[in-house]
Amino acid sequence: MLKRHLLLASILAGTFAVTACSQQTEENTEAAVESAGDDAAANADAAAAEVDAAAAEAEAAAQNAGAEVAESADTAGAAATDALENTGDAIAEGANTAVENTAEAVADGANAVADGANDVAVDTEQQY
């Protein structure tokens, strides 16, 4: 029976101790929650500022990339125009050379025919 009374007394003392501690724990918990809320708000503000800065940086990078693409397109267009001009010049030069060579070959052929005709004429005159 004594053990039983001691056990009941211990349980009651523990309950009172837990109840007393519970009030302190509750106050500490409220303070911790409030502090965590303040920390979360500060972290959210800092994160929002970082996101805004990253967005501005990305926008600037995109604008720079667009300018570089436009500049590259201008350069490529100029290079293509120059290449077309050079191709046209090369075709004209090649055509002129071909015409000159053809005219020279025709002239050489005409001279050979004329020489052959003269030889025939001379042979014919010598026979009579």
Side-chain angles (χ1 to χ4, degrees):
M1 182 77 120
L2 183 62
K3 287 184 183 181
R4 192 188 224 177
H5 288 292
L6 286 174
L7 182 62
L8 280 174
S10 298
I11 290 174
L12 286 175
T15 303
F16 291 133
V18 168
T19 304
C21 288
S22 293
Q23 183 62 33
Q24 182 64 37
T25 302
E26 187 177 319
E27 290 172 3
N28 290 344
T29 302
E30 287 175 8
V33 167
E34 187 176 324
S35 176
D38 292 344
D39 290 347
N43 290 340
D45 290 342
E50 288 181 22
V51 167
D52 288 343
E57 191 174 312
E59 182 181 355
Q63 287 175 347
N64 290 341
E68 288 178 16
V69 168
E71 185 177 326
S72 295
D74 288 344
T75 302
T81 300
D82 290 345
L84 285 174
E85 288 177 7
N86 292 340
T87 302
D89 291 345
I91 290 171
E93 187 176 315
N96 287 340
T97 301
V99 168
E100 288 174 11
N101 291 341
T102 303
E104 188 176 323
V106 169
D108 289 345
N111 285 335
V113 169
D115 288 345
N118 281 339
D119 289 344
V120 169
V122 168
D123 285 343
T124 306
E125 284 178 17
Q126 288 178 356
Q127 282 181 356
Y128 298 113

